[in-house]
Amino acid sequence: MYSTKIAGVGKYVPERIVTNKELATMVDTSDEWITERTGIKQRHWFEPGKDTTSNMGVKAARKAMENANVTKDDIDFIVFATLSPDYIFPGCGVLAQKELGMDTIGALDIRNQCSGFIYGLSVADQFIKTGMYKNILLICSEVQSNTFDLSDEGRSMAVIFGDGAGALVLQRSEDDSKIINTKMHSQGEYAEELILAEPSTNHSKRIKDDILTDNGIWPYMNGRNVFRNAVVRMTEVINESLTAANMTKKELDLVIPHQANLRISQAVQKKFELEDDKIFNNIQNYGNTTAASIPIALCDALEQGKIKKGDVLCFCAFGSGFTWGSALIKW
Ligand code: UT7
C-alpha cells in the first residue's frame, strides 16, 4: 500500500475586509462582544460578480499546484468541499475542472460543511493509498456572506462566518512524509442544529412561494449546543487518531483545529495541555471559513515557519451534520 503526502498548499481570500467595527454598523453587535466571544477581529467578504465559490477555489488551487511543482496535467482527480456551492447542481468540482482547463478527470463534491476538509482529505488519501491515483487536488472554498440574516436572530452567523478558499495537492509519497490516519464521524440526530433548510424537497415546489418571508431561507445555528459538542467531539477524535497511531499528545508538534471559534480552540488546547506554540489559530483574521479554514490555516502556519520536516500535525474539525473528524500527519 502507498502513502499520501501533502505536496503543495494554496489559499485565496477576497479583497474586501470587514472589520468588527464595520459589521457593527450593519448588525446589532460590537467589536467587544465579537472579540470576547469568538476571538474574531475581521473577516473577508466576496465581491458579487467577481468572486464565486468555484473561482476562489480555483485561485487557491493554482497556488497549490505551483507550490507542489505540478501542472494541471499531472492532476488525476479533483475533490471539492463546500457548503456554499455556486449551484445546487452541478457541484463545484466540475466548474473547477473546466476553469483549470483540465482533462476529463473525475471531480467529486463533498458536502460535509466544517468537516469537509477532513472528509475530502480522507477520501483522497484512500485513492492514493490504493494506487488508483498519484496526484489529487483537494479544493475547499466558501462564500457565506451572501446568506447572512442581519437581524438580531441571524447575527450569530454573521459575526462568525467569512469567505475564503484553500487547496492542497495530495501526492503519492516517496519518503516518510504521510497522512498517518484519518477519522470521520457523524450524528444526524443533530442535523437541524446547524442548517440552511431552504430550498428543500420537503414541499411540492422546491422554491416555496413564501421562501423570502419564511425563516428557512437563513442559516440557523444553535450556537451553544454546537459549541459544547465541538469541544467534546474534537477532543475525542484527536484522541482516537493518537490511539490508532499508538502515539501520545506529547508527540504532537502542531494542532490545527477548524477555526470555529477561538474559545473552542482554547478549550481543545487546555484538554491536551498544549503550549501556545503547539496550536495554530488565525480565526482573528478570517472568521470561520468552514471547509476552507484548515487549509487556509495550514498555508499561514507554513508561511510563518511553524512547520518543519518530520513534524507531527493534527487537524480536527466539527460542524453541521453534526459531522466531525481528524487527520494525523507526518510532515
Ligand atoms: O464551525 C462550526 C459551527 N459553529 C460554531 O462552532 C459556533 C459555535 N458557537 C459559538 O461560537 C457561540 O455559541 C456563539 C459565538 C455563536 C454565541 O456565543 P454565546 O456565548 O453562545 O452567546 P449566546 O448566543 O448565548 O448569547 C449571549 C448573549 C445574549 O444576551 P443576554 O441574553 O445574555 O442578554 C445574546 O442576546 O449575547 C447576546 N448576543 C449578541 N450580542 C452582540 C448574541 N449574539 C450577539 C452578537 N452581538 N452577535
Side-chain angles (χ1 to χ4, degrees):
M1 186 141 67
Y2 299 101
S3 53
T4 310
K5 71 168 180 183
I6 298 171
V9 300
K11 71 166 199 250
Y12 172 81
V13 286
E15 272 164 42
R16 182 175 175 200
I17 291 175
V18 177
T19 61
N20 290 348
K21 207 171 152 208
E22 186 184 348
L23 194 63
T25 64
M26 303 174 221
V27 257
D28 183 14
T29 190
S30 64
D31 178 36
E32 295 71 35
W33 192 95
I34 301 171
T35 306
E36 191 195 316
R37 302 276 174 148
T38 71
I40 299 164
K41 296 303 285 181
Q42 62 174 48
R43 73 284 294 143
H44 294 250
W45 280 10
F46 89 129
E47 192 181 314
K50 178 180 169 229
D51 305 309
T52 61
T53 298
S54 62
N55 78 23
M56 284 170 28
V58 162
K59 285 178 187 158
R62 288 192 204 281
K63 289 186 192 153
M65 288 192 290
E66 199 185 315
N67 184 237
N69 204 17
V70 298
T71 71
K72 65 181 175 66
D73 300 321
D74 297 314
I75 301 295
D76 303 310
F77 193 65
I78 298 168
V79 180
F80 201 122
T82 184
L83 63 59
S84 50
D86 295 19
Y87 310 121
I88 289 182
F89 73 86
C92 283
V94 298
L95 303 178
Q97 177 268 338
K98 177 186 142 206
E99 206 168 325
L100 288 164
M102 286 176 161
D103 199 1
T104 54
I105 57 171
L108 175 73
D109 291 279
I110 299 268
R111 297 295 308 272
N112 288 89
Q113 299 68 251
C114 298
S115 313
F117 168 74
I118 301 281
Y119 273 71
L121 189 71
S122 186
V123 166
D125 184 31
Q126 312 313 313
F127 282 131
I128 291 177
K129 271 186 185 156
T130 58
M132 184 164 173
Y133 295 129
K134 270 192 184 164
N135 287 290
I136 298 183
L137 188 55
L138 171 60
I139 308 176
C140 302
S141 180
E142 305 285 5
V143 168
Q144 309 188 88
S145 60
N146 66 349
T147 56
F148 295 151
D149 164 15
L150 298 177
S151 73
D152 280 5
E153 272 186 356
R155 64 184 169 174
S156 67
M157 304 295 286
V159 298
I160 287 191
F161 292 95
D163 303 337
L168 264 55
V169 172
L170 299 158
Q171 196 171 68
R172 185 187 291 177
S173 182
E174 306 288 346
D175 57 21
D176 62 355
S177 304
K178 64 176 177 186
I179 296 176
I180 301 168
N181 65 41
T182 54
K183 303 288 166 195
M184 293 174 286
H185 293 278
S186 71
Q187 192 175 17
E189 79 182 89
Y190 294 125
E192 280 79 25
E193 291 289 84
L194 180 45
I195 186 171
L196 179 58
E198 299 291 347
S200 165
T201 54
N202 274 327
H203 348 281
S204 57
K205 282 201 279 180
R206 188 182 284 266
I207 311 277
K208 292 191 302 176
D209 292 333
D210 64 348
I211 193 153
L212 291 176
T213 48
D214 179 7
N215 276 340
I217 192 68
W218 305 116
Y220 163 79
M221 173 169 73
N222 178 346
R224 288 193 166 189
N225 197 22
V226 173
F227 193 109
R228 270 194 303 272
N229 277 275
V231 174
V232 172
R233 296 306 196 179
M234 289 198 334
T235 305
E236 259 175 31
V237 80
I238 296 173
N239 273 326
E240 188 184 347
S241 265
L242 287 172
T243 305
N246 206 14
M247 292 171 85
T248 69
K249 61 186 180 187
K250 300 260 176 259
E251 290 168 83
L252 292 170
D253 293 299
L254 193 65
V255 173
I256 304 185
H258 161 51
Q259 301 292 291
N261 179 325
L262 190 60
R263 288 160 57 218
I264 293 178
S265 292
Q266 285 165 343
V268 170
Q269 178 179 1
K270 209 169 154 197
K271 298 249 185 214
F272 287 92
E273 299 170 315
L274 298 168
E275 290 138 38
D276 287 349
D277 63 348
K278 294 207 163 177
I279 186 153
F280 189 80
N281 291 300
N282 63 0
I283 193 170
Q284 299 86 340
N285 301 328
Y286 305 102
N288 177 341
T289 55
T290 308
S293 89
I294 297 176
I296 292 174
L298 177 61
C299 282
D300 285 3
L302 283 162
E303 272 168 28
Q304 293 169 28
K306 307 250 183 218
I307 301 169
K308 56 181 191 318
K309 178 103 179 108
D311 276 356
V312 174
L313 268 54
C314 186
F315 306 135
C316 59
F318 178 90
S320 162
F322 291 154
T323 58
W324 63 98
S326 59
L328 206 54
I329 312 286
K330 180 145 172 100
W331 194 260

